[in-house]
Amino acid sequence: GGDWTSAEALHELRIEAKRLRYALELFGRLYPAELRKRMYARIKEMQDRLGAANDHEVAARLLTRLSEEKPELAELLAGCIALEERAAEEKRDEFRGWYTAQRGEELLADLRGLIEGPETNTAAGA
């Protein structure tokens, strides 16, 4: 897996995965259905997992902004903000545990299959 220690790095990864998924949707018909479906599923799962962390991060930021705009709510919102921040970190940790070196290698093999052709794809059965 990668060394994604910051929320920002994981957010960037999510954006890049989204771009890859869109490219696959655009050009996927040029490739064998099996490779296309497998790669799409891998990218979608990655995005879903990263999206869960991002959703909590966004909620924490929105609640923080509300707390700053409405100081009378700050004490009430502090617990909610802390919960959202913890949930975001838990989801990031879950992603880091899920995205193993093997998953990374399988995704890279699929990418090579898209770029070089399906005969180079070593993760065909994965």
Side-chain angles (χ1 to χ4, degrees), residues 20 24 27-28 30-36 38-39 42 104-124:
L20 181 57
L24 188 60
F27 301 107
L30 300 172
Y31 299 97
E34 179 186 330
L35 174 61
R36 183 177 67 239
R38 184 178 61 241
M39 183 135 190
R42 286 183 176 150
E105 288 301 317
E106 290 169 352
L107 185 58
L108 285 174
D110 281 349
L111 283 170
R112 280 192 295 275
L114 290 176
I115 294 167
E116 300 169 359
E119 66 278 355
T120 62
N121 186 2
T122 58

Side-chain angles (χ1 to χ4, degrees), residues 22-69:
Y22 290 159
L24 188 60
E25 289 172 356
L26 259 165
F27 301 107
R29 297 253 180 241
L30 300 172
Y31 299 97
E34 179 186 330
L35 174 61
R36 183 177 67 239
K37 288 177 186 176
R38 184 178 61 241
M39 183 135 190
Y40 188 89
R42 286 183 176 150
I43 294 168
K44 184 176 181 325
E45 185 171 4
M46 177 188 288
Q47 278 187 281
D48 289 348
R49 288 174 176 274
L50 289 169
N54 189 63
D55 291 347
H56 289 292
E57 187 72 31
V58 168
R61 282 196 306 268
L62 290 173
L63 290 169
T64 298
R65 188 176 317 140
L66 179 60
S67 178
E68 292 165 354
E69 292 171 2

Side-chain angles (χ1 to χ4, degrees), residues 6-26:
S6 73
E8 294 80 18
L10 289 174
H11 183 65
E12 272 302 310
L13 178 61
R14 180 173 171 258
I15 291 169
E16 292 303 321
K18 183 184 292 189
R19 288 181 181 142
L20 181 57
R21 194 179 102 211
Y22 290 159
L24 188 60
E25 289 172 356
L26 259 165

